[in-house]
Amino acid sequence: MMDATKYHVGYYPPPVEPGHVYEWPQKDHIEKAPAWCSVDLRDGNQSLIVPMNLEEKLEFYDMLIRIGFKEIEVGFPAASETEYDFLRALIDGNRIPNDVTVQVLTQCRDHIIRKTFEAVKGAPRAIIHFYNSTSVAQREQVFKKSKEEIKQIAVDGAKLVKKLSEEYEGNFLFEYSPESFTGTEPEYAVEVCNAVLDVMQPTPDRPMIINLPVTVEMSMPHIYANQIEWCSKHLKYRDSVILSTHPHNDRGCGVADAELAVLAGAQRIECCLFGNGERTGNVDAITLAMNMYSHGVNPHLDFSNMPAICETYERVTRMHVYERSPYAGSLVFAAFSGSHQDAIAKGMTWRKEHNLHEWTCPYIPIDPHDIGRTYDADVIRINSQSGKGGIGFLLQQNYGYNPPPRMREDLGYRVKDVSDHEHKELSVQEVLYVFERAYLNNKTPLNVPEAHFTQNPDSTITAHITVANGSNAPVTCDAVGNGRLDAVANAIEQTTGMHFTLVHYSEHALDNDTDSRACCYVGLKWASGKETWGCGTHTDIIVAGIRALVSAINNQ
């Protein structure tokens, strides 16, 4: 048995203030997207088994620009030559757009801060992100310093950052993080941040970022939201502060931490694509942005070509996008269940019939087309669990066939039988093959290669009928019916001795042009109670109907 007694709550709720009621729980959704800062090239890159090389980082950076990130943390330039060279490549190569700010990370250590400014000099616009750890565990176990000594590290770092920013060429903004904030007493974290703000003296037209990171996720998300709101109300220069959050995902709640933090006053989120990052990862930028998008909020990030983003990410990071990763995974829209497929197919039909702009389709939270996915390959997926609704939808969506409900049911059993016996998912092309092999224009063993009609007033037919019984010689038969198809059916019964009842006939155009083929469906009921189905296609609707009838007979 596992021993839970070795663990305890390690976070610190905000101080209880008489009469104070938290405001964020009164909000039910995010109404405006926060500022986004990608930390893929720093936190994400340092977490890879094989970090990206210079060319790969440049390709990833260009992708982040296309997606729409306006702030991008490009590295820790004092940490390695690759990090330093990458930053210089951006600056010297004029690769920083006018509306994009690069961000660099540095500890509050003298030589690291100086190396950072050397790397970032000449940047058109750069955020100097400096930090030191403030948690109880770090103070006691790592630094072995008092609260005052830890605060002094932050203050000294701020003083040096401010001094060098005035000496080096470049346009600099500033960010401070009390690292391991979630293991820090909120009142002490605010004390340290306010001391830094007193040094930096931000103004409304030149604000400073105060980042309160979930360096290690230690609490339920609502506790973090309380911490954010309490700190927001107790920071100095609040109108000159951009309150930021940087959630990790140790408890699997990184997205909830970020969303509730925004409700609680956070104005900015540091995040990574696909949640890449240390340990269990940073918060996933895609999930956050698309969650807002699904509520009608423009995230100002463009994921309209999600497959291409996934491909680039997997190639340059050598990581894998989990198949059920929200929005981006290859299976997140996939419906294998018959009842789900049926509901989705009916929802799609409802949208088309009512010419709807608003998305309300059952089971699918956003339109897959919005992120470059397709209905046939991504939504309705066919295996042994699938049903008639989804299978019929795929045929109609891709090939124009719209078989009647009972025929769809019969087709569904055939398709599931193939999938079950072959133990695999079937492609839409394989579903079409099953449909065509089972029902379409089936001319053996019986066929009606020729038929001539007269109307007087019933339909009279002279039909040539062949049956593959050895000689295969055509038999000529005259018959009368209350319609042409009924006359053909009567001719076949007279010639072969068969007995069946026509229980279904329907038709539709299969193509959209003037030379469109007609598509007919016929259902027959036999004396045994068995139903058989056939489909016929031809540019002549009479010929298509006869082919459907013959196919249904041949399916007995």
Side-chain angles (χ1 to χ4, degrees), residues 31 60 111-112 214 265 297 502 547:
E31 297 180 349
F60 203 114
H111 72 285
I112 295 179
V214 184
V297 175
L502 183 69
R547 287 184 174 184

Side-chain angles (χ1 to χ4, degrees), residues 272-275 284-291 303 306 309 326-328:
C272 288
L273 299 182
F274 307 106
D284 179 14
I286 292 171
T287 301
L288 285 170
M290 295 307 300
N291 280 357
F303 295 111
M306 193 73 77
I309 294 170
Y327 303 103

Side-chain angles (χ1 to χ4, degrees), residues 111-391:
H111 72 285
I112 295 179
I113 292 174
R114 292 182 184 277
K115 181 71 178 287
T116 300
F117 271 95
E118 188 65 30
V120 82
K121 66 182 177 182
R125 186 175 174 90
I127 297 169
I128 310 297
H129 180 186
F130 58 102
Y131 72 94
N132 67 307
S133 194
T134 59
S135 69
V136 174
Q138 295 262 16
R139 295 195 314 255
E140 293 178 349
Q141 302 171 38
V142 180
F143 298 103
K144 297 180 172 59
K145 292 183 180 295
S146 67
K147 285 184 175 181
E148 281 301 317
E149 290 172 313
I150 292 294
K151 181 170 71 173
Q152 194 59 47
I153 292 173
V155 169
D156 290 343
K159 288 179 179 178
L160 183 57
V161 165
K162 186 173 185 179
K163 175 177 179 294
L164 294 178
S165 71
E166 295 166 354
E167 297 175 1
Y168 276 83
E169 173 195 358
N171 181 13
F172 304 116
L173 302 170
F174 309 105
E175 175 177 351
Y176 172 71
S177 290
E179 192 201 10
S180 58
F181 166 78
T182 46
T184 303
E185 310 90 334
E187 58 269 43
Y188 175 62
V190 166
E191 180 183 336
V192 175
C193 290
N194 281 338
V196 169
L197 288 167
D198 283 336
V199 173
M200 304 307 292
Q201 293 289 310
T203 60
D205 60 340
R206 199 165 184 80
M208 181 177 180
I209 299 166
I210 293 294
N211 186 53
L212 303 179
V214 184
T215 308
V216 178
E217 197 173 33
M218 303 176 74
S219 70
M220 294 173 69
H222 73 287
I223 298 295
Y224 182 58
N226 288 348
Q227 292 169 333
I228 290 290
E229 183 172 310
W230 189 88
C231 290
S232 177
K233 292 181 180 299
H234 290 81
L235 284 172
K236 290 182 172 181
Y237 312 92
R238 187 63 188 87
D239 62 348
S240 303
V241 167
I242 297 171
L243 189 58
S244 178
T245 179
H246 178 117
H248 282 253
N249 199 42
D250 302 87
R251 290 170 53 91
C253 299
V255 169
D257 286 333
E259 291 183 327
L260 296 192
V262 170
L263 292 183
Q267 300 153 285
R268 178 180 183 268
I269 298 176
E270 296 188 342
C271 47
C272 288
L273 299 182
F274 307 106
N276 186 39
E278 298 159 297
R279 306 181 308 278
T280 53
N282 287 55
V283 68
D284 179 14
I286 292 171
T287 301
L288 285 170
M290 295 307 300
N291 280 357
M292 295 178 200
Y293 182 78
S294 72
H295 282 172
V297 175
N298 185 353
H300 303 292
L301 294 177
D302 182 5
F303 295 111
S304 60
N305 195 352
M306 193 73 77
I309 294 170
C310 292
E311 186 280 324
T312 300
Y313 170 82
E314 291 189 327
R315 177 167 44 80
V316 303
T317 67
R318 302 164 190 85
M319 300 291 284
H320 174 65
V321 177
Y322 174 48
E323 286 78 2
R324 300 201 186 279
S325 179
Y327 303 103
S330 61
L331 294 178
V332 297
F333 298 115
F336 293 101
S337 159
S339 61
H340 287 210
Q341 291 177 344
D342 185 59
I344 292 169
K346 289 174 179 174
M348 296 290 195
T349 301
W350 174 273
R351 283 181 52 76
K352 186 174 182 179
E353 290 174 350
H354 292 79
N355 193 27
L356 293 180
H357 172 70
E358 186 177 80
W359 183 260
T360 59
C361 186
Y363 292 113
I364 309 292
I366 68 162
D367 186 346
H369 283 174
D370 289 353
I371 54 174
R373 305 285 290 273
T374 62
Y375 295 150
D376 54 347
D378 293 310
V379 179
I380 304 294
R381 304 281 291 266
I382 303 302
N383 65 13
S384 60
Q385 306 301 307
S386 303
K388 62 182 185 295
I391 293 167

Side-chain angles (χ1 to χ4, degrees), residues 88-108:
R88 291 314 312 172
L90 296 181
I91 297 171
D92 298 336
N94 255 347
R95 299 187 67 146
I96 305 174
N98 292 334
D99 61 344
V100 172
T101 303
V102 295
Q103 179 170 301
V104 292
L105 190 66
T106 175
Q107 294 170 328
C108 286

